[in-house]
Amino acid sequence: MSSIIQVNNLFKTYKIYKKDPGFKGSLKALVNRQYEELHAIKNISFTINQGELVGFIGPNGAGKTTTLKCLSGLLYPSSGKVSVLGYTPFERKSAFLKQISLVMGQKNQLWWDLPAVDTFLLNKEIYEISDEHYKKTLNDLVDLLDVKDVINNQVRKLSLGQRMKCELIAALLHSPKVLFLDEPTIGLDVVMQKKLRDFIKEYNNKYGSTIILTSHYMEDVRQLCKRVLVIDRGELLFDGKLQDLIKEYNRYKLITIIFEKEIKKKDISKFGEIKEFELPKAVLSVKREESSVITSKLLADFPIADLNIEDVGIEDIVRDIFLKKRK
């Protein structure tokens, strides 16, 4: 399988102006302006093959959006090499731009006071899409996203979920080979999140587009991505299968207990880390390899009405990775 995206030793550094507070600080800055360097991306390297749907996860300010902007040609890297579809993105060649698309959940390309279909027609002309291809693609996308009844309404009158669906249509009319999705489900309710996830998965399967998805919702990543890139403070911490990430860092299990009678918190503290204690319920975090033994002891020593053992959630695993790396 051929590599569509290649990133080698990528750096992106910004110069940040620093000023002391107040009028005195402003006067001082006129004479001696101070700067500091901010490394948004630090020496990251990875490759992505054709048809892959890769999750790109990290906290706010980790460098996710900056990386996507470098890959789409919106930003010029400070150093390193980036290749997408054989092109250097920041050269912004027309042939390159016609094969990619960037969708940002917090920014819109639709004309606010016009129906969404007017933006679709504008994109048709910008990307020089033939009438036949435009009609077929539009009909396919409208059916997949179930927005036939709203594309002729003013964008300002659409719900957030409807607008996000139309944003995707506008970004996909030219059938891009590479799609960058930056927080596409942000602000949506759980029902609409699922609908967009289903669409992204179906679109990837049907058209074989290469997709990089960033999201703060771990359910998006879990449902869609077999492979993940984990980034924090501009550094790539993990690149591999999501299941491998879980196996490597998920060294604990959660034991949820419902007690029949009141007990003291200190009585169960010796069994593991208490995550929650609000009688009759308590939640313990225990080492994976010790979970069976501890469960047996709990059942023998305490009056228990119900007990459940489960893996730690992906959100907690990723959070622990960031916390450990920052120490």
Side-chain angles (χ1 to χ4, degrees):
M1 194 175 290
S2 59
S3 295
I4 294 296
I5 299 173
Q6 297 177 333
V7 178
N8 296 305
N9 308 117
L10 178 64
F11 283 84
K12 181 59 183 176
T13 305
Y14 294 99
K15 250 187 173 182
I16 304 298
Y17 166 52
K18 291 187 68 177
K19 183 186 81 68
D20 293 334
F23 180 68
K24 186 177 179 180
S26 299
L27 289 176
K28 183 180 176 182
L30 288 174
V31 179
N32 184 22
R33 180 161 288 202
Q34 299 292 321
Y35 293 91
E36 70 174 345
E37 285 192 340
L38 172 66
H39 299 286
I41 305 173
K42 300 179 186 176
N43 195 30
I44 67 173
S45 300
F46 59 86
T47 61
I48 295 177
N49 295 326
Q50 182 178 351
E52 278 195 280
L53 203 171
V54 179
F56 200 28
I57 57 180
N60 288 329
K64 304 185 300 296
T65 301
T66 300
T67 303
L68 292 192
K69 286 182 176 179
C70 287
L71 292 176
S72 60
L74 291 177
L75 288 178
Y76 190 102
S78 299
S79 65
K81 184 178 180 181
V82 180
S83 175
V84 179
L85 295 165
Y87 295 92
T88 301
F90 60 79
E91 292 178 353
R92 304 285 290 171
K93 291 184 177 179
S94 177
F96 166 71
L97 297 176
K98 287 182 178 180
Q99 298 183 73
I100 70 158
S101 197
L102 170 64
V103 178
M104 305 180 75
Q106 300 184 67
K107 296 185 182 295
N108 61 290
Q109 62 173 311
L110 301 173
W111 289 86
W112 194 245
D113 293 310
L114 298 176
V117 71
D118 285 2
T119 300
F120 302 160
L121 288 168
L122 176 63
N123 283 9
K124 172 185 180 296
E125 299 304 321
I126 290 173
Y127 289 103
E128 299 176 328
I129 305 170
S130 68
D131 291 343
E132 183 180 355
H133 180 80
Y134 171 77
K135 289 177 182 177
K136 183 181 184 306
T137 306
L138 180 61
N139 288 335
D140 286 346
L141 293 173
V142 166
D143 288 342
L144 281 172
L145 288 165
D146 191 24
V147 288
K148 185 177 181 180
D149 295 333
V150 303
I151 61 172
N152 290 303
N153 297 341
Q154 277 183 304
V155 171
R156 63 191 300 173
K157 295 180 180 178
L158 302 181
S159 69
L160 180 59
Q162 291 170 337
R163 183 176 64 77
M164 199 62 234
K165 288 181 176 182
C166 290
E167 290 281 353
L168 282 169
I169 291 176
L172 297 173
L173 280 171
H174 61 291
S175 303
K177 293 181 180 178
V178 177
L179 180 59
F180 304 110
L181 297 176
D182 189 22
E183 303 284 357
T185 60
I186 193 167
L188 302 180
D189 60 54
V190 291
V191 175
M192 192 56 67
Q193 286 175 26
K194 184 181 185 305
K195 288 181 178 180
L196 282 187
R197 282 198 299 268
D198 291 343
F199 167 74
I200 292 168
K201 182 185 293 185
E202 188 171 351
Y203 185 86
N204 176 247
N205 290 334
K206 185 173 182 178
Y207 296 99
S209 295
T210 304
I211 301 174
I212 298 182
L213 166 76
T214 79
S215 180
H216 282 101
Y217 301 120
M218 288 298 105
E219 192 62 19
D220 290 349
V221 177
R222 190 180 71 82
Q223 292 281 351
L224 294 172
C225 308
K226 293 180 180 178
R227 176 186 172 193
V228 292
L229 303 172
V230 181
I231 188 173
D232 187 28
R233 296 182 178 179
E235 298 182 80
L236 194 61
L237 306 182
F238 180 87
D239 177 4
K241 293 181 179 179
L242 180 59
Q243 290 305 313
D244 291 342
L245 175 71
I246 295 171
K247 288 178 183 177
E248 181 175 348
Y249 291 95
N250 189 10
R251 296 168 186 160
Y252 295 87
K253 280 185 173 287
L254 295 177
I255 301 177
T256 302
I257 314 154
I258 305 296
F259 295 99
E260 290 182 339
K261 298 178 181 179
E262 187 172 330
I263 67 159
K264 294 181 180 179
K265 188 175 182 179
K266 65 178 182 179
D267 293 339
I268 62 169
S269 60
K270 62 182 179 181
F271 293 97
E273 181 185 353
I274 299 175
K275 293 289 188 181
E276 181 182 337
F277 189 84
E278 189 173 343
L279 292 175
K281 179 182 177 182
V283 179
L284 288 175
S285 174
V286 302
K287 291 182 179 179
R288 176 178 287 273
E289 63 271 16
E290 298 176 359
S291 60
S292 297
V293 174
I294 291 175
T295 299
S296 298
K297 289 181 178 179
L298 287 167
L299 290 168
D301 295 350
F302 298 95
I304 294 175
D306 193 15
L307 185 146
N308 184 51
I309 306 173
E310 60 186 347
D311 287 320
V312 177
I314 298 175
E315 294 92 340
D316 296 320
I317 295 171
V318 174
R319 190 182 302 114
D320 286 344
I321 294 172
F322 296 144
L323 291 174
K324 288 174 183 177
K325 294 292 183 179
R326 290 184 175 192
K327 288 180 179 178

